[in-house]
Amino acid sequence: MPNIVLTRIDNRLIHGQVATQWTGSIGANLLLVANDQVAKNQMRQRLMKMAAPTSAQTRFFTIDHTIEIIHKAADRQKIFIICENPQDVLRLVEGGVPITKVNIGNMHMAEGKKQVVGSVAVDQADVEAFKQLRDKGVELEIRRVPTESAESIDKVFEAF
């Protein structure tokens, strides 16, 4: 069983908060960005590697490759999975990745989205993915940084 210490939704993927606050507070030694576009984009990978902490390895996998390889992870790997949106997390869970808790950090405002909490904006597709994750027993929390208290996930479900 892979040692997944946290799964986070953050549309910025690896950036300062992830590198300096989350990685240290959860003791991760492997940051796994599960994202189909980033897995093929060397420029974005290089930028994220510059922000990543030196205390952790960084990997950029497609969703399918993550599903294929996650169960081969060594016990010593403390894996921090970072996804861009709830649909990608749902694909991971449906593919057998043992995710039990999801931290919702940053989902920026865009056309068709509603702001539900400070840094979280959702559309109908996001809400549906969160409902499916919840129905599969995945714990959901909204929290920007580890030192803050979690916000109620109910605000997401009330959006639409």
Side-chain angles (χ1 to χ4, degrees):
M1 174 86 85
N3 184 9
I4 299 169
V5 293
L6 183 66
T7 300
R8 178 175 169 89
I9 296 171
D10 192 319
N11 62 312
R12 296 180 292 170
L13 299 169
I14 298 176
H15 57 91
Q17 286 175 348
V18 167
T20 61
Q21 296 183 45
W22 281 106
T23 302
S25 74
I26 61 174
N29 59 20
L30 174 63
L31 278 64
L32 193 165
V33 173
N35 181 275
D36 291 344
Q37 289 75 37
V38 171
K40 299 170 190 162
N41 187 323
Q42 296 294 317
M43 168 94 79
R44 284 186 71 190
Q45 289 178 27
R46 280 193 298 275
L47 291 171
M48 283 187 243
K49 282 181 182 179
M50 289 190 316
T54 57
S55 61
Q57 294 181 330
T58 307
R59 299 285 184 270
F60 302 94
F61 294 159
T62 64
I63 300 297
D64 288 340
H65 189 62
T66 302
I67 291 166
E68 291 169 17
I69 202 163
I70 195 77
H71 293 286
K72 296 176 183 175
D75 291 340
R76 70 183 180 282
Q77 292 177 306
K78 296 176 184 171
I79 305 168
F80 182 6
I81 298 176
I82 308 156
C83 292
E84 192 171 42
N85 58 61
Q87 294 82 0
D88 284 352
V89 176
L90 181 60
R91 283 179 58 201
L92 291 173
V93 170
E94 289 176 338
V97 178
I99 294 170
T100 58
K101 182 176 181 177
V102 174
N103 164 260
I104 304 158
N106 294 297
M107 294 178 63
H108 289 166
M109 190 65 163
E111 187 175 333
K113 292 193 178 239
K114 291 182 183 177
Q115 198 82 29
V116 292
V117 175
S119 61
V120 178
V122 296
D123 60 18
Q124 187 64 46
D126 296 331
V127 173
E128 289 304 316
F130 282 130
K131 285 180 181 176
Q132 290 181 52
L133 286 165
R134 180 190 61 192
D135 292 348
K136 293 178 182 305
V138 176
E139 180 186 344
L140 303 170
E141 72 164 16
I142 298 171
R143 188 164 22 153
R144 202 170 49 86
V145 293
T147 55
E148 293 179 351
S149 298
E151 298 267 354
S152 172
I153 191 67
D154 294 338
K155 295 175 185 177
V156 168
F157 298 120
E158 295 165 359
F160 287 88

